[in-house]
Amino acid sequence: MNTTRVNVVQWLKREGDVLQRGDAVVELETEKVNYELNSPVAGVLLKIVVREPAEVPVGGLLAYIGEAGDVAPTT
């Protein structure tokens, strides 16, 4: 059985926080395991799109990361 949805348990970073590649950003939960999702890039956490608690599809948009001074798209 493949996991198709995950639960957002807790954000470990806040909007405006500077991120390094590999920083733990958010805790997610599946039916079998809880894990921390790491930032794929260095930058600034511009906007959290999905607040906890929430269920989202695997690979769904959780947040925007960009450069200092960037503006996240409105959703």
Side-chain angles (χ1 to χ4, degrees):
M1 182 170 153
N2 292 335
T3 300
T4 59
R5 301 192 69 75
V6 296
N7 293 310
V8 176
V9 176
Q10 176 183 0
W11 283 93
L12 306 173
K13 300 290 184 179
R14 295 186 177 131
E15 290 180 359
D17 283 354
V18 174
L19 304 174
Q20 299 301 317
R21 184 174 187 219
D23 283 354
V25 179
V26 62
E27 182 182 355
L28 301 174
E29 174 185 62
T30 68
E31 291 178 6
K32 297 182 180 183
V33 67
N34 281 33
Y35 64 97
E36 293 176 350
L37 183 64
N38 297 332
S39 178
V41 296
V44 175
L45 182 57
L46 298 175
K47 181 177 182 181
I48 295 173
V49 177
V50 179
R51 299 280 177 185
E52 71 270 49
E55 185 179 77
V56 296
V58 170
L61 178 65
L62 297 174
Y64 290 101
I65 299 172
E67 302 280 328
D70 285 351
V71 177
T74 56
T75 54

